[in-house]
Amino acid sequence: MNRQILMLYTGGTIGMAPSNGGYVPAGDFGRRLTRHLGHRASEMPAFDVLELDRLIDSANLSPTHWPTLAQALVERWDRYDGFVVLHGTDTLSYTAGALAYMLKGCDKPVILTGAQIPLERTRTDALDNLMTALSLAADPGLAEVCVYFGGKLIRGTRARKLKTSELDAFDSPNFPLLGRTGIDFQLRHELLLPPSEPRFQLPDFQPDSVVALTLFPGIPATMVSAALALPSLQGLILHTYGSGNAPDANTGLIEALDQAIRRGVTVVNVSQCLHGLVAQKAYASGAALDRIGVIPGSDLTPEAAFTKLHFLLATGHRGTALREAFQSPLCGDSTALT
Ligand code: ASP
């Protein structure tokens, strides 16, 4: 069966070129890729390349870009069997989460990938990543948003960039890999999301409605209050210690969080640790957060927590409905807390 894939090129190292000020996104990716693929092109699933008008170094990406990227896929959904999104690695995990939530129930593969070394450099990892991503996008057994990078297939809502200088930059710290490359590609079918009905929702994201704050020893309460005083603020992702603990002895900090929650700001607790769950009541220092109504973020990655909260706010969830929706696993993003 001839499968047709759409490759959406958004920018990122994979297609970057050197400039006087360092690497910058470069266009005309389709033609450059054809030259580099050479005879291998005939062994690949057929694909078209769609290039953004304004290519992005993903460090510059904002939540307003997410629905634009999703729209580019949704407009062409019926014409293709699968999708590859070429993206910078810096915020690729955020886009993977946002796309997974917006394309909930998607019935075709959407594979995000990129590279640590640009296409035109010797020893580039671009072709390996891109060719495997294309094959995965042509797999009729796959129907979810995933990241493929450096030999690993990762659920989109579970992916994190963990390495700056190694080629397998991404991992899935809190969930098994969906697949791995060897001589053949080993796909773990038993872990894949079951096919369902597409329920696409592409809301307008308000970039300044959610912020993230990392706790550190000695964090001033005034800094937390200042963040919580942003007039547009609706949600805060708090990166806590260990199993979800915060300095409860810092009464100013707990008070600032308490007041914000009373005003309607949603505060979510995710751990700074890579592995394991938030258990907000295990220590008195975590229980202080529980008492004031902070939502425990289970084993969500910080990126998934951030994009999930953005998505739920942008789709109109508030109060108890927001709390319940946030705590329910969505697109396989987390373990349900009992
Ligand atoms: N700054 C680049 C980007 O995220 C880094 C990369 O692609 O690896 O667009």
Side-chain angles (χ1 to χ4, degrees):
M1 191 173 34
N2 280 341
R3 317 234 351 133
Q4 188 72 29
I5 310 303
L6 179 70
M7 192 185 286
L8 173 64
Y9 170 55
T10 70
T13 294
I14 191 161
M16 282 191 177
S19 79
N20 288 341
Y23 281 120
V24 288
D28 203 14
F29 189 79
R31 199 185 47 78
R32 293 160 56 204
L33 177 61
T34 308
R35 206 171 59 232
H36 279 270
L37 275 177
H39 65 90
R40 283 170 291 202
S42 59
E43 294 160 30
M44 300 276 84
F47 66 91
D48 295 323
V49 178
L50 174 69
E51 184 164 311
L52 288 189
D53 291 338
R54 300 185 65 173
L55 297 167
I56 318 165
D57 178 318
S58 81
N60 285 317
L61 209 102
S62 136
T64 55
H65 289 101
W66 298 333
T68 310
L69 302 185
Q71 185 64 27
L73 307 184
V74 169
E75 273 171 11
R76 296 161 181 86
W77 199 258
D78 295 334
R79 281 190 264 151
Y80 292 93
D81 300 297
F83 301 86
V84 170
V85 179
L86 303 179
H87 197 288
T89 62
D90 289 342
T91 60
L92 188 147
S93 307
Y94 290 90
T95 299
L99 285 179
Y101 296 129
M102 286 186 285
L103 305 179
K104 184 167 178 308
C106 72
D107 52 352
K108 297 175 183 179
V110 176
I111 313 292
L112 288 95
T113 193
Q116 292 281 67
I117 307 173
L119 178 68
E120 273 95 6
R121 292 284 305 271
T122 316
R123 295 188 53 252
T124 182
D125 52 336
L127 289 180
D128 275 355
N129 285 345
L130 191 147
M131 289 190 295
T132 306
L134 271 174
S135 307
L136 289 164
D139 189 327
L142 204 54
E144 55 175 296
V145 175
C146 299
V147 174
Y148 174 74
F149 211 100
K152 298 172 186 166
L153 183 68
I154 303 166
R155 173 155 298 143
T157 52
R158 297 286 194 162
R160 303 207 67 195
K161 183 178 178 182
L162 296 184
K163 299 176 184 173
T164 58
S165 50
E166 287 170 52
L167 297 185
D168 61 333
F170 288 81
D171 218 322
S172 182
N174 256 337
F175 194 73
L177 296 175
L178 301 183
R180 254 185 190 285
T181 41
I183 291 179
D184 295 314
F185 194 87
Q186 314 283 338
L187 196 56
R188 303 231 1 223
H189 291 275
E190 75 284 8
L191 297 175
L192 302 181
L193 292 177
S196 68
E197 279 296 296
R199 269 167 292 155
F200 298 161
Q201 282 179 287
L202 279 55
D204 283 333
F205 289 86
Q206 302 305 319
D208 44 8
S209 60
V210 180
V211 299
L213 206 68
T214 300
L215 295 180
F216 52 87
I219 184 170
T222 46
M223 189 188 125
V224 179
S225 315
L228 290 166
L230 288 172
S232 52
L233 194 78
Q234 297 184 66
L236 168 74
I237 308 295
L238 193 63
H239 296 213
T240 60
Y241 304 126
S243 56
N245 305 318
D248 63 327
N250 186 338
T251 50
L253 182 145
I254 301 295
E255 180 60 26
L257 291 171
D258 187 23
Q259 280 177 15
I261 292 167
R262 285 172 199 271
R263 282 200 315 273
V265 174
T266 300
V267 181
V268 172
N269 181 351
V270 294
S271 176
Q272 293 176 24
C273 294
L274 277 182
H275 304 281
L277 289 156
V278 164
Q280 216 168 233
K281 290 185 212 162
Y283 293 85
S285 53
L289 299 180
D290 209 64
R291 250 189 330 270
I292 60 173
V294 172
I295 301 176
S298 180
D299 53 2
L300 279 168
T301 64
E303 294 89 338
F306 184 79
T307 50
K308 186 178 197 175
L309 187 53
H310 252 299
F311 175 75
L312 293 175
L313 286 166
T315 48
H317 293 75
R318 296 289 181 276
T320 316
L322 173 57
R323 191 181 181 90
E324 280 171 11
F326 193 90
Q327 289 193 274
S328 310
L330 195 56
C331 309
D333 60 4
S334 54
T335 303
L337 291 181
T338 47

